[in-house]
Amino acid sequence: MSKLMIENERLQVQILTKGAELTNIQSKIDTTEFLWQADPKYWSRHAPILFPIVGKLKNDQYQYQGKTYEMSQHGFARDMEFSVVLQESDKVRLALQYTKETLVKYPFKFLLEVEYCLQEDCLVTRYFVTNLSETVEMWFSVGAHPGFNVPIDRNAAFEDYTLELSPATQRKFIPVTQEVLLQTDQATQTEKSSFSLSRDLFKKGVLIFETPEKTQITLKSARSQKQIIMEYQTLPHLGIWSTYPAEAPFVCIEPWNGLADSFDASGLLEEKKGINRLEPQEVFTTEYCTTFLTGGK
């Protein structure tokens, strides 16, 4: 495991080869650290990549072509070593390919590539998933799980911050069970687009929304000029999470191409809610952009 760095005049970003995980996103204007620093007292990760599943499987297993496979929450990519396939001053691309070990858990020949690219105040994150098989279709999910420091500014508190979703439109909200499975039978349509951060907001676990359209999420406080703005167009679900009741100073903003199992899931991989299908040799790609503002010039 090694650590890589990319930078421009505005930001400096560090990434581990293990899991292709971001570890630091720091402003070069005033040294603000935006990314959660993985304090194990609360949550020992920074920004894991979720692949080949997002969330939890019912009974931590699934069935494919008559065989049962075991897999823990969020999949295995976050704990595996990626190789560096491209590195420039402001861009890096890492890759993970199937192994004998992954085939035991996930019977598909895949290539997962993750690219980080700086564009002024924005970090663009791109995912590329390739089905390397010449004959077999592939089923997968992929998603992001970055944690951001809250408060961003020492002059503010966790409860001073608000998350605003744009556009202000009706969205489907899907609650979760205590086992973090989807309670699809209790899904509702909500017009609420602004959420004041509090511990109680996460009392029932992760908040999950359908975001089929171009979506923007802004983390901000009236007591600070510092903001984080995430934008994406091809990630149909969003998770928002922090710890409860532990008062951890972070919030995760998680765009996903995939979902946890529902409480009544059949267990068949092809029937999994939010699953993606790739034809042989086909490439799937998606991206999101996160802008980090300090209020400085």
Side-chain angles (χ1 to χ4, degrees):
M1 179 178 67
S2 59
K3 185 174 283 190
L4 311 169
M5 185 178 75
I6 57 174
E7 62 184 332
N8 61 10
E9 293 180 354
R10 312 287 295 180
L11 294 169
Q12 184 181 88
V13 175
Q14 296 188 55
I15 307 107
L16 290 176
T17 52
K18 181 183 178 183
E21 183 175 7
L22 295 164
T23 62
N24 300 85
I25 302 172
Q26 191 172 75
S27 167
K28 294 175 74 173
I29 306 304
D30 67 358
T31 72
T32 297
E33 176 59 63
F34 290 95
L35 196 67
W36 167 243
Q37 289 303 289
D39 183 346
K41 178 181 176 182
Y42 300 106
W43 182 53
S44 60
R45 299 181 188 265
H46 303 267
I49 292 166
L50 316 182
F51 179 88
I53 60 168
V54 168
K56 188 174 177 62
L57 295 169
K58 186 178 179 181
N59 300 319
D60 292 323
Q61 62 184 29
Y62 67 92
Q63 289 79 46
Y64 179 69
Q65 293 189 342
K67 186 175 179 181
T68 297
Y69 296 86
E70 305 282 336
M71 195 181 300
S72 58
Q73 187 173 16
H74 296 322
F76 49 71
R78 60 184 182 167
D79 294 317
M80 295 189 70
E81 186 74 10
F82 283 63
S83 60
V84 180
V85 294
L86 179 149
Q87 186 170 12
E88 300 174 358
S89 60
D90 59 357
K91 180 191 292 187
V92 66
R93 188 161 174 164
L94 301 99
L96 177 69
Q97 190 165 317
Y98 75 95
T99 65
K100 289 181 180 179
E101 290 75 24
T102 66
L103 288 171
V104 173
K105 302 176 182 179
Y106 179 67
F108 300 103
K109 296 181 178 180
F110 70 87
L111 173 65
L112 169 64
E113 295 174 283
V114 182
E115 184 177 280
Y116 299 109
C117 178
L118 287 171
Q119 299 175 0
E120 297 184 345
D121 292 306
C122 177
L123 175 63
V124 180
T125 302
R126 297 187 176 100
Y127 299 137
F128 304 85
V129 181
T130 304
N131 180 358
L132 297 176
S133 173
E134 296 183 356
T135 57
V136 179
E137 64 185 9
M138 174 176 152
W139 301 87
F140 75 97
S141 297
V142 66
H145 197 322
F148 300 109
N149 285 327
V150 182
I152 307 170
D153 196 314
R154 294 177 183 175
N155 296 324
F158 185 88
E159 291 78 11
D160 293 326
Y161 282 82
T162 300
L163 278 170
E164 288 190 358
L165 278 60
S166 179
T169 185
Q170 192 175 78
R171 294 180 178 83
K172 181 178 282 189
F173 170 72
I174 310 173
V176 294
T177 68
Q178 289 187 338
E179 294 76 30
V180 204
L181 301 176
L182 302 180
Q183 288 186 306
T184 45
D185 61 332
Q186 296 183 28
T188 58
Q189 295 291 330
T190 178
E191 295 186 0
K192 187 174 182 180
S193 296
S194 181
F195 301 86
S196 297
L197 292 191
S198 69
R199 289 302 147 197
D200 282 350
L201 184 62
F202 304 103
K203 189 173 184 177
K204 295 183 179 180
V206 60
L207 310 180
I208 299 175
F209 300 90
E210 290 189 356
T211 55
E213 65 286 300
K214 183 176 181 181
T215 301
Q216 176 178 293
I217 307 101
T218 302
L219 176 65
K220 64 181 182 178
S221 167
R223 298 188 61 184
S224 174
Q225 291 184 301
K226 298 177 182 180
Q227 296 185 16
I228 297 173
I229 304 168
M230 184 183 288
E231 298 175 283
Y232 58 82
Q233 192 157 355
T234 56
L235 290 141
H237 295 94
L238 171 69
I240 301 172
W241 174 74
S242 190
T243 58
Y244 179 89
E247 298 184 359
F250 73 85
V251 67
C252 291
I253 305 172
E254 311 174 39
W256 300 331
N257 271 95
L259 284 166
D261 272 354
S262 58
F263 74 99
D264 59 352
S266 69
L268 298 176
L269 187 62
E270 304 97 312
E271 296 180 359
K272 181 173 172 56
K273 186 173 177 62
I275 198 78
N276 300 284
R277 178 177 176 270
L278 267 183
E279 294 287 349
Q281 302 290 294
E282 188 178 1
V283 181
F284 168 94
T285 182
T286 189
E287 68 176 54
Y288 67 97
C289 170
T290 315
T291 300
F292 302 92
L293 302 178
T294 63
K297 295 182 179 180

